[in-house]
Amino acid sequence: MDFFELIFTLGGFLLLLGIGYVAGSSAERKHYASIRKREEELRSFILVQSKRAPETPNCTTAFVSGSVVIGMDYFKLIYSSICNLFGGSVTPFESLLERARREAVLRMKSEAATMQAQYVCNVKFSTSNIKSVNGKGGGAVEVIAYGTAVVPGP
Amino acid sequence: MHQSQLGEIMLLSNLEYIPGYKVEEHLGLVQGSAVRAKHAGRDIMAGLKNLVGGELKAYTELLQESRSQAMERMVEEAKSLNANAILNIRLATSAVAAGAAEVFVYGTAVVVSKE
């Protein structure tokens, strides 16, 4: 490759990496701040992990769920490929999945809260990979949180 | 149809029972699945999102629609068996082809009556 072409390609790559890092980490920080704020608001809402709902006379139940698809920025994609090369814990995926799980649970809680539910029981998670049409750089994950909301009766 | 609307047609629960009701009859496994592919144009936007990361709203909506459709199909199958409730509902999503995702919902169809 011509010398200038090489510099150009490398420069382009580093620019994308830079944009990915800056935009990505700022978006992540904003998302975490929004997650923390909504978790504070919904903190009094109870999630019960057991398979039996707490005794609630005259209640109605409904199936509630919350889902989200979150993708990684360019910097994290490259960084995770490097982590995959060397083995060990892949930290970009850890923060991605944590964000997605917390967001999914918040959405499920707010759907249950709009129905005036008291608890959500038997909360389960389903996680899956999203592949994109190009084949390269899927890097996105979908998390669904679902459970049974118990609405106390009159 | 959104799951709250489906909930009016049939009782849905991911518990092994419905509080306040008892199971009269078990009618077996019912399931519904939906496979959706995303519009090519919107997938390009998702590709751009791969630069900055964050929530892929187009995919979230796609999968929510598929989930509603899959649940509708499961409820239809349960209705054809004359069930009035579905217990132990589980969800599974998987990417089947590039740009397409399958949502699979399954549960046990039962006939319940108020305690």
Side-chain angles (χ1 to χ4, degrees):
Chain A
M1 218 194 272
D2 188 32
F3 179 68
F4 288 113
E5 272 180 44
L6 186 68
I7 293 290
F8 199 65
T9 318
L10 195 63
F13 174 71
L14 288 174
L15 181 70
L16 287 178
L17 213 60
I19 294 174
Y21 182 70
V22 169
S25 38
S26 109
E28 190 176 330
R29 250 178 292 122
K30 276 195 217 126
H31 191 212
Y32 268 122
S34 149
I35 285 177
R36 271 191 285 266
K37 178 164 147 288
R38 280 178 294 151
E39 278 179 352
E40 228 9 84
E41 286 164 20
L42 287 166
R43 200 169 286 287
S44 56
F45 198 87
I46 301 167
L47 299 180
V48 176
Q49 206 43 43
S50 65
K51 289 184 179 180
R52 292 207 71 87
E55 281 303 317
T56 324
N58 268 350
C59 61
T60 48
T61 54
F63 183 79
V64 288
S65 66
S67 73
V68 70
V69 177
I70 303 198
M72 286 198 283
D73 52 80
Y74 198 63
F75 178 77
K76 275 197 174 164
L77 275 171
I78 303 297
Y79 184 49
S80 64
S81 318
I82 297 173
C83 282
N84 272 333
L85 201 62
F86 291 113
S89 69
V90 186
T91 42
F93 273 112
E94 284 174 10
S95 63
L96 181 76
L97 283 165
E98 197 217 340
R99 265 167 83 189
R101 264 194 299 271
R102 283 165 81 174
E103 180 69 45
V105 167
L106 278 171
R107 288 183 185 185
M108 181 187 68
K109 272 190 181 181
S110 45
E111 184 181 335
T114 53
M115 304 182 176
Q116 316 290 333
Q118 201 174 12
Y119 314 98
V120 178
C121 301
N122 211 13
V123 176
K124 293 204 182 287
F125 292 90
S126 167
T127 312
S128 77
N129 194 22
I130 303 287
K131 297 188 194 121
S132 83
V133 178
N134 317 354
K136 62 172 184 167
V141 121
E142 191 217 11
V143 176
I144 312 177
Y146 57 101
T148 305
V150 177
V151 185
Chain B
M1 266 197 269
H2 192 250
Q3 48 203 42
S4 50
Q5 291 168 292
L6 284 174
E8 286 160 29
I9 301 176
M10 186 161 296
L11 292 168
L12 301 172
S13 171
N14 84 325
L15 300 172
E16 288 167 7
Y17 73 113
I18 298 188
Y21 288 80
K22 68 178 195 301
V23 176
E24 302 277 342
E25 205 184 329
H26 274 92
L27 296 165
L29 182 76
V30 287
Q31 58 193 319
S33 78
V35 182
R36 287 241 173 164
K38 198 58 197 169
H39 186 251
R42 295 217 214 155
D43 208 51
I44 295 169
M45 281 313 292
L48 285 173
K49 271 268 178 167
N50 258 330
L51 189 58
V52 298
E55 187 189 346
L56 304 176
K57 293 209 170 70
Y59 270 115
T60 305
E61 277 164 23
L62 167 69
L63 289 164
Q64 277 171 352
E65 277 168 33
S66 317
R67 204 166 60 247
S68 300
Q69 198 176 25
M71 288 203 76
E72 246 182 81
R73 290 176 180 171
M74 182 181 69
V75 167
E76 264 169 46
E77 188 180 335
K79 259 170 71 177
S80 72
L81 294 172
N82 292 321
N84 63 356
I86 305 180
L87 303 178
N88 235 352
I89 296 179
R90 300 276 183 271
L91 300 173
T93 320
S94 48
V96 290
E102 187 216 18
V103 179
F104 180 55
V105 188
Y106 59 101
T108 311
V110 291
V111 178
V112 295
S113 61
K114 255 197 176 315
E115 255 166 9

